[in-house]
Amino acid sequence: MAVSSICFQSQLLNQPVSLSLLLPDTSPIKSVLYLLHGYSDGHNSFIYNSALARYCAGIPLAVIMPEAHCSFYMDTAYGRLYWQHISEEVPKVLQQWFQLDISRTNSFVGGISMGGYGAAKLAMQKPNKFSRAFLFSPVTDIVGISKRGLIDDKDSGVPRFNKLHFDSILGNRRIANTSDDLFFLIEHECIEEFPEFTIYTGTEDFMYKDILYFKQVLTKKGVECSLQTSLGNHSWKTWEPFLRDMVAHIAECE
């Protein structure tokens, strides 16, 4: 398996951007996974913080890990179109480079924390692109977090950001009842087309109750959604076995 980092000029962000790739030794590539990083991380965090490359060895799977900085996978008020970059520009560029003409059945999206929010939004806004979404301790109550920020000295796994950061992302724009609000998407998108969701979280995660509620709402709407938990907080130690489980599920689809 090849581990690579690529830099290219983004026409939407008007600057060079990087993304990390895991590419299989065998060809053709049969599956693709878009994997989104968290608030405290970057495009190469899965390479440095987990054994993801080892789990993917021998599987004809390409893993695409783009960079979104601390944007919460949104188009920001200060003019950086991160959502359009991740949801439109990156897939288009990769199609040009690698001819990744992968069917929906073999296309997956996943993410950790902030990236879990981005992955859920991708799965809901572009359900025809993905057959399954894997969410690791996802931010689900984006409306609440945007109002109060998140600083909690009691949990070492909590990423630290405050309301001022969200104010810089949003400007005067609100999130509630918009396409950035996951619960709004559940109510207004065609849920019959949603992919299957698999949610992973530690039971000591600071967002555990929010995640349970999100899963409950999806299930009540008839969306296929499973939940796997283990003892642990908002940390790579908790997510590591979940990453292995995700890859195993994808391998079963080959």
Side-chain angles (χ1 to χ4, degrees), residues 188-212:
H188 292 87
E189 294 293 332
C190 183
I191 61 173
E192 290 81 7
E193 297 178 0
F194 279 6
E196 178 182 352
F197 284 82
T198 299
I199 303 175
Y200 302 102
T201 186
T203 54
E204 309 305 311
D205 195 289
F206 70 99
M207 293 187 295
Y208 184 62
K209 291 182 179 179
D210 290 342
I211 292 167
L212 292 182

Side-chain angles (χ1 to χ4, degrees), residues 23-31 58-62 98 100 102 254:
L23 297 173
D25 296 327
T26 58
S27 61
I29 295 171
K30 295 183 179 180
S31 301
I59 302 172
L61 166 70
F98 299 107
L100 291 177
I102 307 298
E254 297 294 341

Side-chain angles (χ1 to χ4, degrees), residues 92-113:
K92 182 178 179 180
V93 168
L94 291 171
Q95 171 63 23
Q96 292 172 348
W97 289 341
F98 299 107
Q99 302 299 307
L100 291 177
D101 188 14
I102 307 298
S103 67
R104 178 183 186 270
T105 302
N106 292 315
S107 296
F108 308 91
V109 63
I112 283 177
S113 191

Side-chain angles (χ1 to χ4, degrees), residues 8-209:
F8 68 97
Q9 182 70 27
S10 168
Q11 300 303 310
L12 287 172
L13 298 178
N14 296 309
Q15 67 178 39
V17 295
S18 296
L19 59 83
S20 290
L21 297 167
L22 290 178
L23 297 173
D25 296 327
T26 58
S27 61
I29 295 171
K30 295 183 179 180
S31 301
V32 63
L33 167 66
Y34 288 88
L35 196 54
L36 308 184
H37 68 79
Y39 180 86
S40 302
D41 299 312
H43 66 92
N44 53 14
S45 295
F46 291 94
I47 305 301
Y48 291 114
N49 291 300
S50 78
L52 179 66
R54 178 160 53 85
Y55 303 147
C56 294
I59 302 172
L61 166 70
V63 184
I64 315 301
M65 295 163 281
E67 177 62 62
H69 296 105
C70 297
S71 66
F72 269 84
Y73 297 91
M74 296 181 186
D75 292 334
T76 69
Y78 52 88
R80 294 300 175 92
L81 305 178
Y82 283 103
W83 175 243
Q84 293 183 49
H85 169 67
I86 298 297
S87 64
E88 299 175 12
E89 187 174 36
V90 169
K92 182 178 179 180
V93 168
L94 291 171
Q95 171 63 23
Q96 292 172 348
W97 289 341
F98 299 107
Q99 302 299 307
L100 291 177
D101 188 14
I102 307 298
S103 67
R104 178 183 186 270
T105 302
N106 292 315
S107 296
F108 308 91
V109 63
I112 283 177
S113 191
M114 179 187 82
Y117 162 74
K121 192 163 71 163
L122 264 178
M124 293 176 183
Q125 289 196 20
K126 296 183 180 293
N128 62 318
K129 298 293 186 181
F130 306 102
S131 65
R132 194 164 183 172
F134 299 92
L135 314 181
F136 300 80
S137 301
V139 172
T140 56
D141 182 18
I142 192 70
V143 174
I145 287 179
S146 70
K147 291 178 180 178
R148 64 178 180 267
L150 189 60
I151 298 178
D152 186 349
D153 294 330
K154 297 179 181 179
D155 187 342
S156 60
V158 177
R160 301 175 64 84
F161 58 90
N162 57 38
K163 185 177 180 300
L164 290 176
H165 176 74
F166 257 104
D167 289 345
S168 70
I169 292 176
L170 299 174
N172 295 323
R173 179 168 61 90
R174 62 183 176 84
I175 294 180
N177 299 317
T178 72
S179 59
D180 288 320
D181 179 351
L182 297 183
F183 293 99
F184 176 84
L185 293 174
I186 292 172
E187 291 294 332
H188 292 87
E189 294 293 332
C190 183
I191 61 173
E192 290 81 7
E193 297 178 0
F194 279 6
E196 178 182 352
F197 284 82
T198 299
I199 303 175
Y200 302 102
T201 186
T203 54
E204 309 305 311
D205 195 289
F206 70 99
M207 293 187 295
Y208 184 62
K209 291 182 179 179

Side-chain angles (χ1 to χ4, degrees), residues 183-245:
F183 293 99
F184 176 84
L185 293 174
I186 292 172
E187 291 294 332
H188 292 87
E189 294 293 332
C190 183
I191 61 173
E192 290 81 7
E193 297 178 0
F194 279 6
E196 178 182 352
F197 284 82
T198 299
I199 303 175
Y200 302 102
T201 186
T203 54
E204 309 305 311
D205 195 289
F206 70 99
M207 293 187 295
Y208 184 62
K209 291 182 179 179
D210 290 342
I211 292 167
L212 292 182
Y213 178 69
F214 179 70
K215 194 268 184 186
Q216 179 184 3
V217 171
L218 283 174
T219 302
K220 282 187 175 181
K221 287 292 184 178
V223 179
E224 190 170 352
C225 180
S226 61
L227 175 68
Q228 293 191 37
T229 64
S230 70
L231 185 65
N233 63 0
H234 202 79
S235 66
W236 286 96
K237 182 178 179 181
T238 302
W239 301 323
E240 184 69 29
F242 293 150
L243 287 168
R244 183 169 59 246
D245 185 79

